[in-house]
Amino acid sequence: MTTRDLDMPVTPANALTLGDAVLRHLVYSVGKDQSHAVERDWCVALSLAIRDLMVDGWMDTTRRIYKTKQKRVYYLSMEFMIGRLLEDAIANMGLIKEAKEFFGELGLNLSDILNSEPDPALGNGGLGRLAACFMDSMATVGVAGIGYGIRYEHGIFRQSFQDGWQLEEPEDWLVFGNAWEFQRPEVEYSVEFGGSVQRDNTGKMIWTPSERILAGAFDTPIAGWGGKHVNTLRLWSARSAEVLNLHQFNQGEFMAAAQQQVLAESITKVLYPGDHTAEGRELRLKQEVFFTSASLQDILRRFRLDNTNWNELPQYAAVQLNDTHPAIAVPELVRLLVDKHGLEFVESFEIARATLHYTNHTLLPEALEKWPLELFERCLPRHLQIIREIDNLFAAEVAAKYEGKNVDPMKAIDPHHGGWVRMGNLAFIGSSHVNGVSALHTELMKQTVFKDLHEIYPDRILNQTNGITPRRWLYECNPLLADLITETIGDAWVKDLEHIAALAPHADDKTFRKKFAAVKAENKVHLAAFIKQQTGIVVNPTSLFDVQIKRIHEYKRQLLNALETMALYNAIKEDPSAGWTPRVKIFAGKAAPSYTLAKLIIKLINDVAAKVNADEDVGDLLNVVFLPNYNVSAAEELIPGADLSEQISTAGFEASGTGNMKFALNGALTIGTLDGANVEIKDHVGDDNIFIFGMEADEVARRQQEGCQPWMTVSETPRLQEVVKQISSGFYSHGDTERFAGVVDNVLAHDYFQVTPDFDAYWETQRKVDAEFKDVDNWHRKAILNTANMGWFSADRTIRGYAKDIWKALPDEG
């Protein structure tokens, strides 16, 4: 295969200069000489050398933006699942060849050095990975973008298993520091909570908070493809305004003296602290307020550097709210304009609404976030006042258009059942655009969660189907396939994935199919080695690798996959010589610590794996693997080696999905429901190159409304009935009939996410997969067509859509 040499004009762009920079950082930044350096030392030195090269472009980009007054886009997200940054930066700067040559001369393997970089624990799922892809694409496309989030010290937990049960341990990704970030001690903002609000003698509202936390900035440069445009990811870290109560400390009250600092720092300790307690809910709310307020203060400061008219804020700044987590931006931006800068309320709200835009990622009502009124009033009394005024403005706006319209169900504040602040409604009312992330999801938003608000504002909802960056999710994670594609059609696809369509005619070329098959085979050997390393399980790389990797949630239906796995095990046991297609079922994903049923499903899958893998009668016909501690780096190992991509969510519940796009781009065929972006993937790859099954969204909704009895469906589905009986009898739990009672009860009595009625269709479709996989050459033809037809699903295309339709922010052409 050809070596990638993109000849991009990066300075310096030769191995000697890069090597000198690495060696200099090894000595003067890391403090090691070559003979004593370990892989982690080389990783830090290389990261700092590459970062140096990025800084020139970073500063040039910033100067250019200020000079041209280019509109900035500010992307506020609770998660940025950025993954390891070193390979991404080397690739985008065009220095892979130089880095390989330099370390090769030293007798070192670049891959080992790249793998020694810790995976930043800044996200948990598709929401955070989308934000990371968008940062890459904004820089590649030339949008002047800044991402804002939280610098979690521990982030999401590190997952391990004990006797098949999920254990949560603290993630320590920052223990040795972060070579990519620049601390900005001069950039610090105060974020307040609690206290009371009084009206002064001029009639102005004065908020006297009882708690004040400082947000400090840490910046990471994010280079686009070619290194020409470099944007910023700014993450906030918390500390108390009162570092230490010296009087208490001198009195020997050491713990009390540091209490405020400990409480403040807890805000940026962990991503998604458990919200099953009152304290956990309060911490989550404070996290959202903390990073949103600091970000908005920073945005306003930057705007005022060369602008004096607040009404021009929407002209120069677009703020994108990634889900409801930063929805507090609506009252917070109004508060800053009114209380800090002296504007009138109505004017401030109009400025805020013109500046803010909201991306919805879910139709699950509980995921739209709502906060108890009591908690909100105690933590944010001024914001609650403002939200009430926003609701009054909204009611007046509706009354002027629709006489007698009941607006109570649409308001941000729900006065019933003790009172709630509904963040989805608040984000909708306070934004100029509300977008869904797939065509189906956007239409369902209009029909379900935002039906009434859509009728009031029929032009506010629009669609921007998600995408992925082809740099990370093909060029870097699957170099064998990337080289083959470049050898065949050239390298233009890396920057513009639409060019990958030129690969489609080669699906009918037998020689190319053999090359493609050889790449997949090698990737599967690599994945098999990874599985053995992580779990000790030995799998046959010639088997069908059937992969479902995503956070564990009922609507994503890992349970459906597990039940079918058990039914397949029973069928193989009954007739091992029936010509079964050997299959490896691969699961990975984390369950929220307080999500009891999701954790029970993990335990069930692990118990099934233990039984199946130990059964000599089954052998290689079926293996089950649950990989621990799923993250971006694990996904980069799993996706290139997958044959089948499981995208089996209950129709109408997955907003889009991006894992489905990554798998298809890397030549895996999808088995899935007509949910989220599966619908659009099917349209692009063709009906013959995807496996669709199950009820559609309207059928699911009808069945849920009718209250169908799942136990009746089970009784009419013999394979499923047998599996449920086995689970109940303790077949997979060493005779313990109570262990999985929660799973059985869910299947027989609740089944809100419609596992039972879709089971038979899923089983039959999997048998179709078995049959088609046996025709190896035709399977690879279908896989090639999946890769070739994924050009539309690039995050670059998505970002251009946002820039044109929502942000009105033309890419930087400088």
Side-chain angles (χ1 to χ4, degrees), residues 768-785:
K768 182 180 177 183
V769 170
D770 282 341
E772 297 215 12
F773 189 73
K774 289 178 179 178
D775 186 350
V776 176
D777 190 50
N778 191 47
W779 181 277
H780 288 127
R781 180 182 179 278
K782 292 172 181 286
I784 293 165
L785 290 172

Side-chain angles (χ1 to χ4, degrees), residues 319-335:
V319 178
Q320 191 70 38
L321 309 179
N322 192 27
D323 217 356
T324 54
H325 306 124
I328 194 66
V330 177
E332 174 64 1
L333 184 49
V334 172
R335 183 188 73 84

Side-chain angles (χ1 to χ4, degrees), residues 92-112:
N92 280 356
M93 298 298 287
L95 294 169
I96 289 180
K97 178 182 177 182
E98 288 80 354
K100 282 183 177 178
E101 289 178 353
F102 169 70
F103 285 106
E105 290 169 3
L106 296 177
L108 299 171
N109 189 316
L110 177 61
S111 295
D112 294 336

Side-chain angles (χ1 to χ4, degrees), residues 437-478:
V437 290
S438 72
L440 175 64
H441 169 237
T442 300
E443 288 307 308
L444 289 174
M445 279 171 56
K446 297 175 183 178
Q447 299 168 22
T448 58
V449 291
F450 295 130
K451 182 177 185 296
D452 293 337
L453 284 165
H454 174 60
E455 290 176 357
I456 302 297
Y457 304 107
D459 298 325
R460 188 164 296 184
I461 295 179
L462 48 79
N463 180 57
Q464 296 293 339
T465 296
N466 284 342
I468 57 174
T469 167
R471 273 77 61 183
R472 165 87 63 170
W473 294 112
L474 178 50
Y475 182 78
E476 295 164 36
C477 79
N478 197 345

Side-chain angles (χ1 to χ4, degrees), residues 16-26 45 49 52:
L16 178 62
T17 305
L18 176 62
D20 285 346
V22 172
L23 293 174
R24 181 172 180 80
H25 274 297
L26 183 69
D52 287 351

Side-chain angles (χ1 to χ4, degrees), residues 71-208:
K71 187 174 186 177
R72 281 191 174 89
V73 174
Y74 302 101
Y75 198 83
L76 274 60
S77 181
M78 196 77 171
E79 300 182 39
F80 283 93
M81 200 171 176
I82 53 178
R84 293 168 175 159
L85 291 176
L86 181 51
E87 185 176 9
D88 211 36
I90 295 174
N92 280 356
M93 298 298 287
L95 294 169
I96 289 180
K97 178 182 177 182
E98 288 80 354
K100 282 183 177 178
E101 289 178 353
F102 169 70
F103 285 106
E105 290 169 3
L106 296 177
L108 299 171
N109 189 316
L110 177 61
S111 295
D112 294 336
I113 291 164
L114 296 177
N115 290 335
S116 70
E117 182 182 16
D119 203 310
L122 299 172
N124 182 42
L127 181 84
R129 187 50 235 174
L130 180 74
C133 282
F134 279 7
M135 290 301 298
D136 176 276
S137 287
M138 278 194 275
T140 295
V141 170
V143 170
I146 296 181
Y148 283 111
I150 294 179
R151 183 180 181 265
Y152 300 104
E153 186 176 336
H154 298 294
I156 198 66
F157 59 87
R158 180 186 290 123
Q159 181 195 55
S160 61
F161 299 130
Q162 186 175 66
D163 190 29
W165 293 100
Q166 172 179 289
L167 291 183
E168 300 100 27
E169 301 170 303
E171 183 59 79
D172 59 356
W173 74 283
L174 279 174
V175 69
F176 297 116
N178 179 3
W180 295 102
E181 66 185 11
F182 292 87
Q183 185 173 4
R184 306 297 192 193
E186 77 282 5
V187 180
E188 194 169 64
Y189 299 101
S190 177
V191 181
E192 292 87 17
F193 300 96
S196 60
V197 183
Q198 305 292 331
R199 191 183 299 273
D200 69 7
N201 54 14
T202 68
K204 181 180 179 181
M205 290 296 180
I206 304 297
W207 179 23
T208 307

